[in-house]
Amino acid sequence: MANTLLGPLSGTDRVDGLLDDGAWIAALLEVELALSAVAVEQGAVTEHDADAVERAVAAVAGVDPHALAAESVEGGNPVIPLVKRLKAAAARIQPGAERAVHPGATSQDVMDTALMLLTRRAGHRVVADLTACADAAAALAATHRDTPCAARTLGQQALPTTFGLVAATWCTGLDRARAGLDRVLTALPVSYGGAAGTLAAVHPHGPAVADALAARLGLAPQGVPWHTERSRIGELAGALGVAAGACAKPAGDVVLLSATELGEVSESAPGDSSSMPHKRNPAAAVTARGAAKRAPGLVATLLAGAEQEFQRAAGAWHAEWETLVALLRVTAGAAARLRVSLDGLQVHPEAMARNLDLAAGAQGHGTGHAADLVDTVLAGRPA
């Protein structure tokens, strides 16, 4: 999952440690442990048995991911062999305690809930980087509120604007994407429905167990089980895709404005070339753009999986796990690398003035209206 060679340059290493095999196993066990604990609270299992489960979780925590992966092939997901290991460990610790493992749950409940935990943790890191990117863009907007530069439409110079308004526009998109992703992360739900999504195995405790599990894990209540109602996965995919796109916009502008013929901005730590020592490549913006370009296909895959048949899907659900993790990684990469690009971005007003002179007559239009828009954007930012 993690890529040691390419992860740092694409920025995906920002969340790799939160999404790797070890993080997956830890999240699955966290769900199982929480499930046993809340089942005690609701009277579904005994406290004595649940104590043995806690010790079993500690015993199983060091499982070899490769061994667990091999055992997962037959059943189709890693929860099945993990639960078998947990039950065996609990029975060794205390005969009969295995009944407190996985009470009333199905493998999808544990997989979905663990994925929500992983998503929340990685997603909060993306939100932090989006916030930093927006703050950097806002600082550029304030500093260059009145710095005239060429507005370009259809690749050609149009009328003058200010670089402050260019940066304020970046800031607006980043702020909107951050707020949207934050809302979705706050609403990530627990999953607990049992074999057919009816909570039959723990009747009449099912809804109470589900709500208590959500509270213990810090997730949102589910309402009703959502095994094949995947609109929330679609909302999450959309929010991550929008965030990646919000990063792609300023990254693309920085790449273009850094071109030798324009020279209007440059990164504070530009990259070099293996064969052309004169080059100063906007490497952070380039790699932010590269990460963001991977997002739309992943979003499309998740949206295509919204149609999941009957009460448990065959294939569409399975397609979500690696796809969502990949989308989290590339969106995190885009935000992390854009943050590097915008922090300390060097702006060259003399080059902007020189380029403005190329458009005859355009200088006759004032830029006060652009500066006023900068003030509006900055005044309206969230505290």
Side-chain angles (χ1 to χ4, degrees):
M1 191 176 298
N3 193 314
T4 303
L5 179 63
L6 302 180
L9 69 87
S10 65
T12 58
D13 64 330
R14 179 77 167 124
V15 295
D16 279 343
L18 301 176
L19 299 169
D20 62 13
D21 291 340
W24 260 109
I25 292 171
L28 294 171
L29 291 172
E30 182 180 357
V31 176
E32 291 289 356
L33 182 60
L35 183 55
S36 293
V38 299
V40 171
E41 296 170 4
Q42 302 302 320
V45 302
T46 69
E47 185 172 354
H48 196 49
D49 286 343
D51 289 342
V53 173
E54 185 172 358
R55 293 165 60 191
V57 165
V60 171
V63 61
D64 179 6
H66 294 93
L68 188 63
E71 295 166 10
S72 303
V73 174
E74 182 179 353
N77 70 72
V79 175
I80 296 171
L82 189 64
V83 168
K84 288 180 180 178
R85 285 172 174 263
L86 272 178
K87 287 187 174 184
R92 286 194 299 270
I93 293 167
Q94 178 183 300
E98 64 273 14
R99 58 183 162 240
V101 175
H102 203 63
T106 191
S107 55
Q108 181 165 356
D109 293 328
V110 179
M111 281 292 290
D112 279 348
T113 302
L115 186 54
M116 294 302 96
L117 292 176
L118 296 176
T119 297
R120 182 181 63 189
R121 291 160 187 162
H124 284 162
R125 195 158 289 182
V126 178
V127 166
D129 282 342
L130 289 171
T131 301
C133 289
D135 289 345
L140 288 166
T143 300
H144 295 282
R145 173 186 183 275
D146 301 302
T147 301
C149 68
R152 296 175 172 89
T153 63
L154 305 182
Q156 304 292 308
Q157 282 203 30
L159 299 175
T161 184
T162 71
F163 186 71
L165 183 54
V166 172
T169 303
W170 298 346
C171 176
T172 299
L174 291 162
D175 274 337
R176 184 183 298 276
R178 177 207 55 77
L181 180 56
D182 200 37
R183 282 193 299 271
V184 173
L185 294 176
T186 301
L188 292 177
V190 75
S191 176
Y192 186 66
T198 63
L199 296 169
V202 285
H203 180 77
H205 307 289
V209 171
D211 289 346
L213 183 61
R216 180 173 284 266
L217 294 172
L219 295 171
Q222 67 178 0
V224 297
W226 50 285
H227 289 162
T228 52
E229 198 291 284
R230 309 307 277 184
S231 60
R232 282 173 281 202
I233 297 296
E235 290 171 357
L236 175 59
L240 288 167
V242 167
C247 293
K249 163 58 180 168
D253 281 353
V254 168
V255 169
L256 293 172
L257 293 173
S258 298
T260 304
E261 291 78 4
L262 296 182
E264 296 185 2
V265 302
S266 58
E267 291 184 347
S268 58
D272 55 13
S273 166
S274 62
S275 60
M276 295 171 284
H278 65 281
K279 293 192 71 180
R280 294 295 180 267
N281 299 317
V286 167
T287 49
R289 199 179 188 188
K293 283 185 177 296
R294 296 166 61 189
L298 297 167
V299 173
T301 298
L302 290 168
L303 293 179
E307 182 191 359
Q308 298 197 5
E309 73 279 5
F310 301 128
Q311 282 65 58
R312 297 284 295 285
W317 172 56
H318 304 74
E320 289 177 352
W321 315 329
E322 291 176 288
T323 306
L324 180 53
V325 168
L327 181 56
L328 284 163
R329 291 179 70 246
V330 300
T331 305
R337 296 302 287 156
L338 180 65
R339 181 176 185 174
V340 172
S341 179
L342 295 185
D343 279 347
L345 187 71
Q346 297 176 5
V347 179
H348 307 298
E350 70 286 352
M352 293 176 177
R354 180 195 68 225
N355 292 333
L356 267 175
D357 287 342
L358 298 176
Q363 300 90 324
H365 297 267
T367 56
H369 49 290
D372 291 343
L373 286 173
V374 173
D375 296 337
T376 299
V377 170
L378 297 182
R381 289 196 75 212

